[in-house]
Amino acid sequence: MGSANPVEDRLLTARFPGTAEGVREQIQVVRDRLAHDPDDSDRAEDVLIVLGEVLNNIVEHAVPDAADPWIEVEIRRDTPGLRVETRDPGRPLPPALLSGASTPSVEGEVADLPEGGFGWFIIHSLAHDMIYERQEGTNRLMFSLL
């Protein structure tokens, strides 16, 4: 949906190295952009959490073996919230991750808690309308934040 002018709806378009440092820098760019946009301040924390999880998953699982890893992010205003799209040249996303995620068990000793497994639960808890496509060797993940 969105307004009639897609350029005005675009909050951010970026391509950056698919590295932990690249993700840290991009999250700061998004934080700064949302901090100066009163229309999106209510969603800022959710955007930063979900985008951080998605981008870190790309770095850790999709592009770690790529010769020139990169990630693209686009964030747009869309009725009634924000629409986020990421693209990367990494390994395909396992289909099971798109169908939802359950809360990892947190029973037992703190030292025995799982290191991972929380990211996709968080993503599914906050993101809506998630769509994944793989075209010509590129992953494309889209979702909304209301």
Side-chain angles (χ1 to χ4, degrees):
M1 308 280 180
S3 72
N5 189 344
V7 174
E8 289 178 9
D9 289 343
R10 192 175 310 137
L11 292 174
L12 175 83
T13 301
R15 182 176 178 138
F16 53 95
T19 62
E21 180 63 26
V23 168
R24 276 192 297 278
E25 290 174 7
Q26 194 58 45
I27 291 295
Q28 188 60 50
V29 168
V30 173
R31 176 178 282 128
D32 293 346
R33 183 74 44 95
L34 294 175
H36 295 99
D37 192 336
D39 291 339
D40 299 308
S41 61
D42 291 346
R43 290 179 213 89
E45 289 304 313
D46 287 353
V47 171
L48 294 170
I49 290 168
V50 173
L51 194 56
E53 289 293 337
V54 167
L55 297 179
N56 282 317
N57 278 336
I58 292 170
V59 169
E60 290 179 31
H61 304 291
V63 299
D65 301 326
D68 181 27
W70 53 266
I71 301 171
E72 292 179 350
V73 173
E74 184 171 293
I75 303 174
R76 294 179 175 265
R77 280 190 193 87
D78 193 21
T79 305
L82 296 175
R83 187 82 179 145
V84 179
E85 181 175 331
T86 65
R87 291 176 292 279
D88 69 81
R91 291 185 213 127
L93 183 67
L97 294 177
L98 294 173
S99 61
S102 57
T103 309
S105 174
V106 292
E107 295 179 10
E109 298 294 320
V110 172
D112 296 330
L113 290 177
E115 184 176 321
F118 293 93
W120 278 100
F121 174 75
I122 292 168
I123 292 165
H124 281 285
S125 296
L126 297 173
H128 302 273
D129 307 321
M130 193 174 301
I131 299 170
Y132 168 76
E133 299 173 340
R134 182 160 174 92
Q135 297 174 337
E136 299 176 9
T138 299
N139 297 310
R140 184 173 173 220
L141 181 67
M142 298 154 285
F143 53 90
S144 297
L145 293 157
L146 306 178

